[in-house]
Amino acid sequence: MLVYLRLLKESFSFALNALRNNKLRTFLSLLGVTVGIFSIIAVLAAVDSLDKTITSQLSSLDSNTMYVANMSFGPTDVPRWQRETFDEVSYNEYKSIKSSVSEAEHVALQLFVKRENIRYESELVSSVNTVVVSHEFIDIQVMEFEKGRFYNESESNSGKAVVVIGSEIAKSLFGELEPIGKKVRLYGQKFTVIGVVKKEGSGLFGDSNDVSIFLPANYVRNRYGDNNPYMKYIVIVKPKKDADIEGLKAEVVQVMRNKRGLKPDEMDTFFISVISGLQDLIDTIIGSLNIIGWVISGFSLLVGGFGIANIMFVSVKERTNLIGIQKSLGAKNKFILFQFLFEAVILAVVGGVVGLFLVWIGTIIGNSFTEDFEFVLSPYNMALGFFISSIIGLISGVVPALRASRLDPVEAIRTGM
């Protein structure tokens, strides 16, 4: 063990000498490893950060939550022209699902409408993300409140002019004033602010709750009717705990087909999208991004490997005389082999460390510019960077190390003189 520790120490010393005595050559040779490790770990760190953020945002929803609409939220085999002929989901269909589907814990109605301006006295916030939903929405998507509450069933069913606003909207309209109970103007009418959603940060799937307002669906229905071409209806279904998801889906399909009077041989004229399917799609995209990162970085690592091999071939040539002396004094081939292998690994790890350092600097800079999206350099990715650089050094140093270990001591001393 002591012999190998001494061997490692000597190899480290030789590697430092290579870095010190041939700075430009070593820099150019290690640049490939540095760029390769930087590329791979940067991509992995960015994808991990994206995955973490997406998972965090989807965590407020049950993964089996279903969305019933005349459009699909994922890939579909139904051609676009045919999808465009499907009727919008209606309020009556929402009521039927709510009353008939036994495996559903909560069923909510959401209307997609155009953005609105919201005003308080002289303060105006333009083009606000307007979320028009029934009261069950709060039971499906977890929301925390900074102040106040969400509207209740009575307020929702009657279409009362109440509004829940995001933290950024509250700040823009009221500043330091107490927002609860204040009257704001929407749709040419005064609405009472009854709740302020707790700040949550930016969203990856559109506007976050911070810059959104929430209105009772029946207010908009009462004002514009159910046949307005500028509104899109979606029914959100949250299953009961331990519910049979396929059974629930079959129930929803049957209710929808009955309401639409579809014959057995006719296709569904609606789609049921499940959150878990969206998560699977996201996982596929993230996996593809990882593969692309590995492929692109692989070219840099290949160049870096050749650079390390070049350094080691030059090192063998420069130390031919020393190798001959070591062998004449009884050094075994294995000793010489490990000496050069350790040196190659150490050089590659130095390049890898520089690459990791650059990624770390990048995460700090990235986090300083993005308040709501956190870039993370995990210990796993750091360990992976060390491992990859070590493997590159090991592979690149094999041929030079074998050549050095097989030198004839007499010829090596003569050649080196």
Side-chain angles (χ1 to χ4, degrees):
M1 179 60 73
L2 291 176
V3 173
Y4 287 107
L5 289 175
R6 182 165 61 86
L7 181 61
L8 185 62
K9 180 181 177 182
E10 290 180 2
S11 300
F12 186 71
S13 177
F14 282 127
L16 288 180
N17 286 333
L19 289 168
R20 185 167 49 246
N21 298 333
N22 304 282
K23 296 182 180 64
L24 181 59
R25 183 189 73 191
T26 306
F27 168 75
L28 293 175
S29 298
L30 295 184
L31 187 60
V33 176
T34 299
V35 172
I37 295 299
F38 171 80
S39 301
I40 288 178
I41 303 306
V43 169
L44 292 179
V47 171
D48 284 352
S49 302
L50 179 63
D51 190 23
K52 180 181 177 182
T53 302
I54 292 174
T55 302
S56 174
Q57 293 194 3
L58 290 180
S59 63
S60 62
L61 291 170
D62 187 313
S63 62
N64 292 314
T65 298
M66 299 177 183
Y67 293 84
V68 186
N70 71 335
M71 61 180 182
S72 175
F73 295 114
T76 176
D77 295 328
V78 181
R80 181 176 178 180
W81 68 265
Q82 196 166 20
R83 297 197 303 267
E84 290 177 347
T85 65
F86 293 171
D87 292 334
E88 289 283 349
V89 174
S90 68
Y91 180 76
N92 287 334
E93 288 170 338
Y94 150 69
K95 295 296 287 184
S96 293
I97 293 173
K98 183 178 174 66
S99 61
S100 304
V101 178
S102 60
E103 291 291 309
E105 182 176 11
H106 297 291
V107 179
L109 177 68
Q110 180 167 2
L111 279 63
F112 284 88
V113 298
K114 67 183 182 68
R115 292 169 175 266
E116 291 293 332
N117 301 332
I118 182 170
R119 179 188 296 275
Y120 174 70
E121 296 182 348
S122 62
E123 300 297 329
L124 172 70
V125 181
S126 303
S127 190
V128 176
N129 181 44
T130 307
V131 184
V132 180
V133 288
S134 59
H135 65 280
E136 300 95 343
F137 185 78
I138 191 65
D139 298 312
I140 295 175
Q141 180 169 311
V142 177
M143 294 168 59
E144 296 183 20
F145 287 83
E146 185 179 308
K147 296 178 179 179
R149 59 177 176 85
F150 205 72
Y151 40 85
N152 57 37
E153 183 175 1
S154 173
E155 293 165 331
S156 176
N157 290 340
S158 64
K160 190 173 182 180
V162 292
V163 62
V164 175
I165 61 178
S167 60
E168 291 298 322
I169 302 296
K171 183 177 179 181
S172 298
L173 290 178
F174 304 108
E176 298 300 321
L177 296 176
E178 171 59 52
I180 303 301
K182 293 289 192 302
K183 303 287 186 180
V184 295
R185 185 165 289 274
L186 278 164
Y187 296 107
Q189 181 178 341
K190 289 184 178 180
F191 281 71
T192 303
V193 177
I194 61 171
V196 178
V197 181
K198 187 175 181 181
K199 185 176 178 62
E200 65 173 21
S202 62
L204 293 176
F205 306 102
D207 296 303
S208 77
N209 290 339
D210 298 348
V211 292
S212 301
I213 59 175
F214 299 82
L215 306 176
N218 278 352
Y219 172 84
V220 177
R221 287 185 59 248
N222 294 339
R223 184 179 180 89
Y224 294 107
D226 285 324
N227 298 317
N228 192 300
Y230 300 104
M231 295 192 305
K232 180 172 288 294
Y233 284 65
I234 288 180
V235 177
I236 310 172
V237 182
K238 179 182 179 180
K240 291 180 179 179
K241 188 177 180 181
D242 301 325
D244 178 1
I245 304 304
E246 290 304 316
L248 169 61
K249 189 173 182 180
E251 278 192 90
V252 174
V253 168
Q254 192 58 50
V255 170
M256 290 294 294
R257 290 185 65 86
N258 289 340
K259 289 296 291 184
R260 297 193 170 200
L262 296 175
K263 297 177 181 178
D265 59 338
E266 291 182 314
M267 69 178 294
D268 294 338
T269 57
F270 54 89
F271 293 96
I272 300 178
S273 305
V274 185
I275 287 291
S276 58
L278 176 61
Q279 183 65 63
D280 291 341
L281 178 62
I282 291 170
D283 290 343
T284 301
I285 295 172
I286 287 175
S288 299
L289 291 175
N290 277 327
I291 292 172
I292 293 171
W294 277 96
V295 171
I296 294 174
S297 305
F299 290 105
S300 297
L301 290 174
L302 184 63
V303 173
F306 283 122
I308 297 293
N310 177 61
I311 293 178
M312 297 312 300
F313 277 121
V314 173
S315 183
V316 170
K317 185 175 181 180
E318 290 176 344
R319 286 152 49 191
T320 300
N321 181 262
L322 179 59
I323 294 169
I325 294 173
Q326 286 179 318
K327 284 200 162 190
S328 65
L329 294 175
K332 296 181 180 180
N333 289 351
K334 183 172 66 173
F335 182 88
I336 302 298
L337 177 70
F338 284 148
Q339 185 180 58
F340 281 91
L341 279 180
F342 284 160
E343 184 176 341
V345 170
I346 290 168
L347 285 171
V349 167
V350 169
V353 168
V354 175
L356 286 172
F357 177 75
L358 293 177
V359 176
W360 178 67
I361 293 296
T363 59
I364 294 176
I365 295 173
N367 287 330
S368 67
F369 283 100
T370 57
E371 180 181 349
D372 303 316
F373 186 88
E374 182 182 6
F375 291 94
V376 179
L377 178 58
S378 67
Y380 171 79
N381 284 335
M382 293 179 66
L384 183 62
F386 279 110
F387 176 74
I388 293 173
S389 56
S390 300
I391 293 298
I392 294 297
L394 189 63
I395 294 173
S396 303
V398 166
V399 175
L402 283 173
R403 177 175 294 185
S405 66
R406 292 171 180 175
L407 286 174
D408 180 84
V410 176
E411 288 296 326
I413 293 174
R414 183 183 297 126
T415 303
M417 293 179 64

